[in-house]
Amino acid sequence: DWSRRWGEYLVEGKMPAVFPGVGLPALQFLHQNRSILLHGHEPLDTDSTPTLEGEAWLMHHNYLQVEGAANLHLVPPAGALLSIGFAKIKGGAGGLARLVAVCPPAWP
């Protein structure tokens, strides 16, 4: 639910003391052992290491990532189909795109 806290990211020009991220071993496991092609998350960056090692690894191995996804708390933990639309070119920075989750009928 980090998208609900984006306003706290730059309080007084500082990042929060706790900033979520995905460790490099977890990224490697998911991509190499579970065969995922795309990594997505709510925080505005993959990791907060000084060298951005997770993000660098993704890009150097030709994997896609979605950063800054919002409202993931509304999507079920399993069973949804995620559709990624065309990037919003006009006025966009970094290739903004719209994500749509098609959820199972029983999901609230």
Side-chain angles (χ1 to χ4, degrees):
D1 293 350
W2 273 81
S3 65
R4 296 185 200 184
R5 299 178 59 194
W6 284 343
E8 299 174 26
Y9 278 10
L10 294 177
V11 174
E12 297 179 13
K14 298 179 182 176
M15 295 298 288
V18 177
F19 189 84
V22 180
L24 182 57
L27 286 173
Q28 291 171 328
F29 174 80
L30 290 170
H31 286 278
Q32 295 172 340
N33 295 26
R34 296 293 172 94
S35 301
I36 68 168
L37 300 175
L38 180 134
H39 168 78
H41 48 83
E42 285 181 305
L44 301 177
D45 222 329
T46 302
D47 62 65
S48 59
T49 62
T51 61
L52 298 175
E53 65 183 17
E55 187 164 336
W57 184 85
L58 288 169
M59 290 189 288
H60 287 99
H61 289 85
N62 297 318
Y63 291 118
L64 297 172
Q65 65 176 333
V66 172
E67 295 180 331
N71 300 318
L72 292 179
H73 63 284
L74 300 174
V75 180
L81 173 67
L82 183 64
S83 173
I84 302 174
F86 293 103
K88 294 166 40 178
I89 304 296
K90 185 176 181 181
L96 300 176
R98 186 165 315 278
L99 305 170
V100 176
V102 180
C103 300
W107 186 252

